[in-house]
Amino acid sequence: GPGMDLVETVIEDARWEAFGLDALAERAARAVLAGLDLPVEGFAISLMGCDDARIAVLNADFRGKPQPTNVLSWPSEERGAEFVGEAPDLPVPAAPDDPESLGDIAIAWETCAREAEGQGKLMVEHVTHLIVHGVLHLMGYDHIEDEDAALMEGLEVRILASLGVSDPY
């Protein structure tokens, strides 16, 4: 039913509506949970489809970087691994009617479109990759250290393959 979506999408830029962000994000996020052997029921993610101006403000507020970026993630809690190269502690699902919030993601239209064009990628495939990447951040994965980046990228490639998207790296 309508309450069972994993991703709650808020559209702040109408271009995302026409693009079909809602359905794409739902499919991508479900693939991440499946790839981590987690159930879809019992979790919730909030996604905002915005523009460069809005994400630049968020980037300045939260990261001290007053410029646009492609995607930002705010995990609901720190789930990172204790040791470099180790998988994070995965969240535990709650009751389906009162799901555990994994956190929030924001994604910016112009930057995504510019990157897709510059990298010769389909917008739909680039956005799918960025949402998979953002959801993995919510799960505690990161790419600051080389070992962690290798772990995260390997997961991304495998999850994207399950969605029919070729290796973005």
Side-chain angles (χ1 to χ4, degrees):
M4 296 307 288
D5 283 350
L6 169 60
V7 182
E8 186 190 343
T9 303
V10 177
I11 303 286
E12 288 209 351
D13 184 307
R15 289 173 290 190
W16 285 120
E17 190 79 60
F19 176 78
L21 182 63
D22 201 347
L24 182 150
E26 183 71 21
R27 191 164 164 260
R30 284 172 176 260
V32 173
L33 292 180
L36 297 173
D37 292 322
L38 287 171
V40 170
E41 293 74 27
F43 292 116
I45 294 166
S46 295
L47 171 71
M48 181 173 68
C50 61
D51 61 10
D52 273 16
R54 179 87 167 97
I55 213 164
V57 171
L58 293 169
N59 207 18
D61 287 353
F62 292 97
R63 295 170 70 221
K65 298 179 180 179
Q67 67 257 2
T69 186
N70 49 20
V71 68
L72 289 173
S73 301
W74 295 269
S76 56
E77 58 185 75
E78 173 55 56
R79 300 186 175 93
E82 194 176 345
F83 300 104
V84 171
E86 208 175 68
D89 293 328
L90 292 177
V92 178
D97 57 353
D98 185 22
E100 170 77 17
S101 168
L102 295 174
D104 304 291
I105 299 170
I107 188 164
W109 180 266
E110 296 94 332
T111 297
C112 290
R114 192 170 59 246
E115 288 175 345
E117 191 177 358
Q119 296 168 27
K121 292 178 182 171
L122 296 171
M123 179 75 164
V124 61
E125 295 203 345
H126 186 50
V127 171
T128 299
H129 177 212
L130 290 173
I131 290 171
V132 166
H133 185 83
V135 174
L136 285 171
H137 272 310
L138 298 186
M139 295 290 185
Y141 287 88
D142 74 63
H143 44 84
I144 297 165
E145 304 292 340
D146 288 347
E147 296 96 321
D148 292 330
L151 183 68
M152 187 172 185
E153 288 174 15
L155 258 177
E156 286 175 26
V157 170
R158 183 162 63 79
I159 292 164
L160 287 167
S162 79
L163 291 163
V165 177
S166 56
D167 184 340
Y169 293 107

